[in-house]
Amino acid sequence: MISPHASLHVALNVSDLAQAEAFYGGVLGLQTVERPFSFPGQWYQIGGFQIHLIVADKPYSRPQDTEKWGRYAHLALAVRDLEAMAAVLEQAGCPVQRSASGRAALFTQDPDGNVIELTCVLDEPC
């Protein structure tokens, strides 16, 4: 049987690359990698996975349900210290919403409204 065996990247539309870079590189602390294209964007590496930011005329629309961001399309990233990540986000003025399910996870949004889930690493205390 042939099936996918690895996650490679996610592409997210952004309207302001400088603001997006401040969020992904600054607030989240992700490392940039080379990208072979001339159109505006930025790539970030997380282990064997990449986030590709693409400057688009029509970015993703912000969630309308203010209570449950996790029900929107989102990117999930594992963190080792959820409370420390929440503090970094809040200090940077980023919105933070705890998971409505009560599990150890929170949601935030990048400057364009793309939803990012931050959750504890599965096999480690958080």
Side-chain angles (χ1 to χ4, degrees), residues 27-42:
V27 177
L28 295 183
L30 302 181
Q31 297 298 311
T32 61
V33 293
E34 293 277 329
R35 56 187 291 275
F37 301 109
S38 61
F39 61 87
Q42 183 63 268

mmCIF file with all atom_site columns, all heavy atoms in Angstrom, residues 27-42:
data_model
loop_
_atom_site.group_PDB
_atom_site.id
_atom_site.type_symbol
_atom_site.label_atom_id
_atom_site.label_alt_id
_atom_site.label_comp_id
_atom_site.label_asym_id
_atom_site.label_entity_id
_atom_site.label_seq_id
_atom_site.pdbx_PDB_ins_code
_atom_site.Cartn_x
_atom_site.Cartn_y
_atom_site.Cartn_z
_atom_site.occupancy
_atom_site.B_iso_or_equiv
_atom_site.pdbx_formal_charge
_atom_site.auth_seq_id
_atom_site.auth_comp_id
_atom_site.auth_asym_id
_atom_site.auth_atom_id
_atom_site.pdbx_PDB_model_num
ATOM 1   N N   . VAL A 1 27 ? 8.579  36.145 18.099 1.00 0.00 ? 27 VAL A N   1
ATOM 2   C CA  . VAL A 1 27 ? 7.776  35.650 19.223 1.00 0.00 ? 27 VAL A CA  1
ATOM 3   C C   . VAL A 1 27 ? 7.935  34.138 19.395 1.00 0.00 ? 27 VAL A C   1
ATOM 4   O O   . VAL A 1 27 ? 8.216  33.657 20.485 1.00 0.00 ? 27 VAL A O   1
ATOM 5   C CB  . VAL A 1 27 ? 6.280  36.016 19.049 1.00 0.00 ? 27 VAL A CB  1
ATOM 6   C CG1 . VAL A 1 27 ? 5.447  35.424 20.176 1.00 0.00 ? 27 VAL A CG1 1
ATOM 7   C CG2 . VAL A 1 27 ? 6.102  37.540 19.002 1.00 0.00 ? 27 VAL A CG2 1
ATOM 8   N N   . LEU A 1 28 ? 7.765  33.377 18.302 1.00 0.00 ? 28 LEU A N   1
ATOM 9   C CA  . LEU A 1 28 ? 7.864  31.913 18.410 1.00 0.00 ? 28 LEU A CA  1
ATOM 10  C C   . LEU A 1 28 ? 9.313  31.419 18.381 1.00 0.00 ? 28 LEU A C   1
ATOM 11  O O   . LEU A 1 28 ? 9.584  30.283 18.754 1.00 0.00 ? 28 LEU A O   1
ATOM 12  C CB  . LEU A 1 28 ? 7.067  31.232 17.297 1.00 0.00 ? 28 LEU A CB  1
ATOM 13  C CG  . LEU A 1 28 ? 5.551  31.419 17.325 1.00 0.00 ? 28 LEU A CG  1
ATOM 14  C CD1 . LEU A 1 28 ? 4.899  30.623 16.205 1.00 0.00 ? 28 LEU A CD1 1
ATOM 15  C CD2 . LEU A 1 28 ? 4.961  31.027 18.678 1.00 0.00 ? 28 LEU A CD2 1
ATOM 16  N N   . GLY A 1 29 ? 10.241 32.250 17.937 1.00 0.00 ? 29 GLY A N   1
ATOM 17  C CA  . GLY A 1 29 ? 11.658 31.889 17.953 1.00 0.00 ? 29 GLY A CA  1
ATOM 18  C C   . GLY A 1 29 ? 12.062 30.839 16.932 1.00 0.00 ? 29 GLY A C   1
ATOM 19  O O   . GLY A 1 29 ? 13.038 30.118 17.135 1.00 0.00 ? 29 GLY A O   1
ATOM 20  N N   . LEU A 1 30 ? 11.359 30.760 15.799 1.00 0.00 ? 30 LEU A N   1
ATOM 21  C CA  . LEU A 1 30 ? 11.681 29.758 14.783 1.00 0.00 ? 30 LEU A CA  1
ATOM 22  C C   . LEU A 1 30 ? 12.873 30.215 13.934 1.00 0.00 ? 30 LEU A C   1
ATOM 23  O O   . LEU A 1 30 ? 13.093 31.404 13.736 1.00 0.00 ? 30 LEU A O   1
ATOM 24  C CB  . LEU A 1 30 ? 10.465 29.510 13.887 1.00 0.00 ? 30 LEU A CB  1
ATOM 25  C CG  . LEU A 1 30 ? 9.200  29.034 14.611 1.00 0.00 ? 30 LEU A CG  1
ATOM 26  C CD1 . LEU A 1 30 ? 8.079  28.809 13.607 1.00 0.00 ? 30 LEU A CD1 1
ATOM 27  C CD2 . LEU A 1 30 ? 9.466  27.769 15.414 1.00 0.00 ? 30 LEU A CD2 1
ATOM 28  N N   . GLN A 1 31 ? 13.617 29.240 13.418 1.00 0.00 ? 31 GLN A N   1
ATOM 29  C CA  . GLN A 1 31 ? 14.807 29.509 12.612 1.00 0.00 ? 31 GLN A CA  1
ATOM 30  C C   . GLN A 1 31 ? 14.452 29.546 11.132 1.00 0.00 ? 31 GLN A C   1
ATOM 31  O O   . GLN A 1 31 ? 13.755 28.662 10.627 1.00 0.00 ? 31 GLN A O   1
ATOM 32  C CB  . GLN A 1 31 ? 15.864 28.426 12.852 1.00 0.00 ? 31 GLN A CB  1
ATOM 33  C CG  . GLN A 1 31 ? 16.363 28.390 14.281 1.00 0.00 ? 31 GLN A CG  1
ATOM 34  C CD  . GLN A 1 31 ? 17.046 29.691 14.678 1.00 0.00 ? 31 GLN A CD  1
ATOM 35  O OE1 . GLN A 1 31 ? 17.913 30.196 13.964 1.00 0.00 ? 31 GLN A OE1 1
ATOM 36  N NE2 . GLN A 1 31 ? 16.640 30.243 15.801 1.00 0.00 ? 31 GLN A NE2 1
ATOM 37  N N   . THR A 1 32 ? 14.962 30.559 10.429 1.00 0.00 ? 32 THR A N   1
ATOM 38  C CA  . THR A 1 32 ? 14.715 30.659 8.986  1.00 0.00 ? 32 THR A CA  1
ATOM 39  C C   . THR A 1 32 ? 15.618 29.701 8.222  1.00 0.00 ? 32 THR A C   1
ATOM 40  O O   . THR A 1 32 ? 16.671 29.296 8.723  1.00 0.00 ? 32 THR A O   1
ATOM 41  C CB  . THR A 1 32 ? 14.956 32.089 8.468  1.00 0.00 ? 32 THR A CB  1
ATOM 42  O OG1 . THR A 1 32 ? 16.323 32.434 8.701  1.00 0.00 ? 32 THR A OG1 1
ATOM 43  C CG2 . THR A 1 32 ? 14.044 33.090 9.144  1.00 0.00 ? 32 THR A CG2 1
ATOM 44  N N   . VAL A 1 33 ? 15.177 29.333 7.024  1.00 0.00 ? 33 VAL A N   1
ATOM 45  C CA  . VAL A 1 33 ? 15.988 28.528 6.104  1.00 0.00 ? 33 VAL A CA  1
ATOM 46  C C   . VAL A 1 33 ? 15.924 29.165 4.731  1.00 0.00 ? 33 VAL A C   1
ATOM 47  O O   . VAL A 1 33 ? 15.021 29.952 4.439  1.00 0.00 ? 33 VAL A O   1
ATOM 48  C CB  . VAL A 1 33 ? 15.515 27.053 6.037  1.00 0.00 ? 33 VAL A CB  1
ATOM 49  C CG1 . VAL A 1 33 ? 15.758 26.352 7.355  1.00 0.00 ? 33 VAL A CG1 1
ATOM 50  C CG2 . VAL A 1 33 ? 14.065 26.937 5.633  1.00 0.00 ? 33 VAL A CG2 1
ATOM 51  N N   . GLU A 1 34 ? 16.887 28.807 3.887  1.00 0.00 ? 34 GLU A N   1
ATOM 52  C CA  . GLU A 1 34 ? 16.929 29.321 2.513  1.00 0.00 ? 34 GLU A CA  1
ATOM 53  C C   . GLU A 1 34 ? 15.685 28.892 1.748  1.00 0.00 ? 34 GLU A C   1
ATOM 54  O O   . GLU A 1 34 ? 15.161 27.803 1.962  1.00 0.00 ? 34 GLU A O   1
ATOM 55  C CB  . GLU A 1 34 ? 18.157 28.754 1.794  1.00 0.00 ? 34 GLU A CB  1
ATOM 56  C CG  . GLU A 1 34 ? 19.473 29.236 2.342  1.00 0.00 ? 34 GLU A CG  1
ATOM 57  C CD  . GLU A 1 34 ? 19.880 30.578 1.792  1.00 0.00 ? 34 GLU A CD  1
ATOM 58  O OE1 . GLU A 1 34 ? 19.525 30.894 0.635  1.00 0.00 ? 34 GLU A OE1 1
ATOM 59  O OE2 . GLU A 1 34 ? 20.551 31.305 2.533  1.00 0.00 ? 34 GLU A OE2 1
ATOM 60  N N   . ARG A 1 35 ? 15.221 29.776 0.873  1.00 0.00 ? 35 ARG A N   1
ATOM 61  C CA  . ARG A 1 35 ? 14.117 29.423 -0.012 1.00 0.00 ? 35 ARG A CA  1
ATOM 62  C C   . ARG A 1 35 ? 14.527 29.790 -1.434 1.00 0.00 ? 35 ARG A C   1
ATOM 63  O O   . ARG A 1 35 ? 15.115 30.850 -1.665 1.00 0.00 ? 35 ARG A O   1
ATOM 64  C CB  . ARG A 1 35 ? 12.803 30.097 0.398  1.00 0.00 ? 35 ARG A CB  1
ATOM 65  C CG  . ARG A 1 35 ? 12.836 31.587 0.506  1.00 0.00 ? 35 ARG A CG  1
ATOM 66  C CD  . ARG A 1 35 ? 11.536 32.156 1.078  1.00 0.00 ? 35 ARG A CD  1
ATOM 67  N NE  . ARG A 1 35 ? 10.398 32.035 0.218  1.00 0.00 ? 35 ARG A NE  1
ATOM 68  C CZ  . ARG A 1 35 ? 10.085 32.889 -0.739 1.00 0.00 ? 35 ARG A CZ  1
ATOM 69  N NH1 . ARG A 1 35 ? 10.835 33.934 -0.986 1.00 0.00 ? 35 ARG A NH1 1
ATOM 70  N NH2 . ARG A 1 35 ? 9.009  32.699 -1.471 1.00 0.00 ? 35 ARG A NH2 1
ATOM 71  N N   . PRO A 1 36 ? 14.246 28.906 -2.395 1.00 0.00 ? 36 PRO A N   1
ATOM 72  C CA  . PRO A 1 36 ? 14.737 29.096 -3.762 1.00 0.00 ? 36 PRO A CA  1
ATOM 73  C C   . PRO A 1 36 ? 13.862 29.945 -4.674 1.00 0.00 ? 36 PRO A C   1
ATOM 74  O O   . PRO A 1 36 ? 14.076 29.959 -5.873 1.00 0.00 ? 36 PRO A O   1
ATOM 75  C CB  . PRO A 1 36 ? 14.792 27.649 -4.287 1.00 0.00 ? 36 PRO A CB  1
ATOM 76  C CG  . PRO A 1 36 ? 13.670 26.973 -3.579 1.00 0.00 ? 36 PRO A CG  1
ATOM 77  C CD  . PRO A 1 36 ? 13.639 27.599 -2.202 1.00 0.00 ? 36 PRO A CD  1
ATOM 78  N N   . PHE A 1 37 ? 12.908 30.657 -4.111 1.00 0.00 ? 37 PHE A N   1
ATOM 79  C CA  . PHE A 1 37 ? 11.960 31.390 -4.952 1.00 0.00 ? 37 PHE A CA  1
ATOM 80  C C   . PHE A 1 37 ? 12.165 32.897 -4.840 1.00 0.00 ? 37 PHE A C   1
ATOM 81  O O   . PHE A 1 37 ? 12.628 33.396 -3.824 1.00 0.00 ? 37 PHE A O   1
ATOM 82  C CB  . PHE A 1 37 ? 10.526 31.041 -4.564 1.00 0.00 ? 37 PHE A CB  1
ATOM 83  C CG  . PHE A 1 37 ? 10.233 29.576 -4.683 1.00 0.00 ? 37 PHE A CG  1
ATOM 84  C CD1 . PHE A 1 37 ? 10.053 28.794 -3.562 1.00 0.00 ? 37 PHE A CD1 1
ATOM 85  C CD2 . PHE A 1 37 ? 10.162 28.977 -5.938 1.00 0.00 ? 37 PHE A CD2 1
ATOM 86  C CE1 . PHE A 1 37 ? 9.802  27.438 -3.672 1.00 0.00 ? 37 PHE A CE1 1
ATOM 87  C CE2 . PHE A 1 37 ? 9.909  27.616 -6.061 1.00 0.00 ? 37 PHE A CE2 1
ATOM 88  C CZ  . PHE A 1 37 ? 9.732  26.847 -4.917 1.00 0.00 ? 37 PHE A CZ  1
ATOM 89  N N   . SER A 1 38 ? 11.762 33.624 -5.888 1.00 0.00 ? 38 SER A N   1
ATOM 90  C CA  . SER A 1 38 ? 11.937 35.074 -5.886 1.00 0.00 ? 38 SER A CA  1
ATOM 91  C C   . SER A 1 38 ? 10.686 35.813 -5.417 1.00 0.00 ? 38 SER A C   1
ATOM 92  O O   . SER A 1 38 ? 10.771 36.984 -5.072 1.00 0.00 ? 38 SER A O   1
ATOM 93  C CB  . SER A 1 38 ? 12.326 35.559 -7.286 1.00 0.00 ? 38 SER A CB  1
ATOM 94  O OG  . SER A 1 38 ? 11.298 35.236 -8.214 1.00 0.00 ? 38 SER A OG  1
ATOM 95  N N   . PHE A 1 39 ? 9.521  35.152 -5.392 1.00 0.00 ? 39 PHE A N   1
ATOM 96  C CA  . PHE A 1 39 ? 8.330  35.841 -4.907 1.00 0.00 ? 39 PHE A CA  1
ATOM 97  C C   . PHE A 1 39 ? 8.426  36.009 -3.387 1.00 0.00 ? 39 PHE A C   1
ATOM 98  O O   . PHE A 1 39 ? 9.103  35.242 -2.708 1.00 0.00 ? 39 PHE A O   1
ATOM 99  C CB  . PHE A 1 39 ? 7.042  35.122 -5.328 1.00 0.00 ? 39 PHE A CB  1
ATOM 100 C CG  . PHE A 1 39 ? 6.897  33.721 -4.802 1.00 0.00 ? 39 PHE A CG  1
ATOM 101 C CD1 . PHE A 1 39 ? 6.325  33.482 -3.560 1.00 0.00 ? 39 PHE A CD1 1
ATOM 102 C CD2 . PHE A 1 39 ? 7.327  32.643 -5.563 1.00 0.00 ? 39 PHE A CD2 1
ATOM 103 C CE1 . PHE A 1 39 ? 6.189  32.196 -3.079 1.00 0.00 ? 39 PHE A CE1 1
ATOM 104 C CE2 . PHE A 1 39 ? 7.190  31.350 -5.100 1.00 0.00 ? 39 PHE A CE2 1
ATOM 105 C CZ  . PHE A 1 39 ? 6.622  31.127 -3.845 1.00 0.00 ? 39 PHE A CZ  1
ATOM 106 N N   . PRO A 1 40 ? 7.776  37.046 -2.821 1.00 0.00 ? 40 PRO A N   1
ATOM 107 C CA  . PRO A 1 40 ? 7.932  37.357 -1.403 1.00 0.00 ? 40 PRO A CA  1
ATOM 108 C C   . PRO A 1 40 ? 7.444  36.234 -0.474 1.00 0.00 ? 40 PRO A C   1
ATOM 109 O O   . PRO A 1 40 ? 6.373  35.672 -0.676 1.00 0.00 ? 40 PRO A O   1
ATOM 110 C CB  . PRO A 1 40 ? 7.073  38.603 -1.213 1.00 0.00 ? 40 PRO A CB  1
ATOM 111 C CG  . PRO A 1 40 ? 6.874  39.174 -2.571 1.00 0.00 ? 40 PRO A CG  1
ATOM 112 C CD  . PRO A 1 40 ? 6.917  38.010 -3.512 1.00 0.00 ? 40 PRO A CD  1
ATOM 113 N N   . GLY A 1 41 ? 8.257  35.953 0.527  1.00 0.00 ? 41 GLY A N   1
ATOM 114 C CA  . GLY A 1 41 ? 7.909  34.948 1.519  1.00 0.00 ? 41 GLY A CA  1
ATOM 115 C C   . GLY A 1 41 ? 9.085  34.651 2.428  1.00 0.00 ? 41 GLY A C   1
ATOM 116 O O   . GLY A 1 41 ? 10.153 35.258 2.303  1.00 0.00 ? 41 GLY A O   1
ATOM 117 N N   . GLN A 1 42 ? 8.891  33.725 3.344  1.00 0.00 ? 42 GLN A N   1
ATOM 118 C CA  . GLN A 1 42 ? 9.933  33.307 4.282  1.00 0.00 ? 42 GLN A CA  1
ATOM 119 C C   . GLN A 1 42 ? 9.656  31.869 4.677  1.00 0.00 ? 42 GLN A C   1
ATOM 120 O O   . GLN A 1 42 ? 8.493  31.475 4.805  1.00 0.00 ? 42 GLN A O   1
ATOM 121 C CB  . GLN A 1 42 ? 9.935  34.209 5.519  1.00 0.00 ? 42 GLN A CB  1
ATOM 122 C CG  . GLN A 1 42 ? 11.021 33.908 6.515  1.00 0.00 ? 42 GLN A CG  1
ATOM 123 C CD  . GLN A 1 42 ? 12.410 34.117 5.938  1.00 0.00 ? 42 GLN A CD  1
ATOM 124 O OE1 . GLN A 1 42 ? 13.015 33.201 5.404  1.00 0.00 ? 42 GLN A OE1 1
ATOM 125 N NE2 . GLN A 1 42 ? 12.888 35.343 6.006  1.00 0.00 ? 42 GLN A NE2 1
#
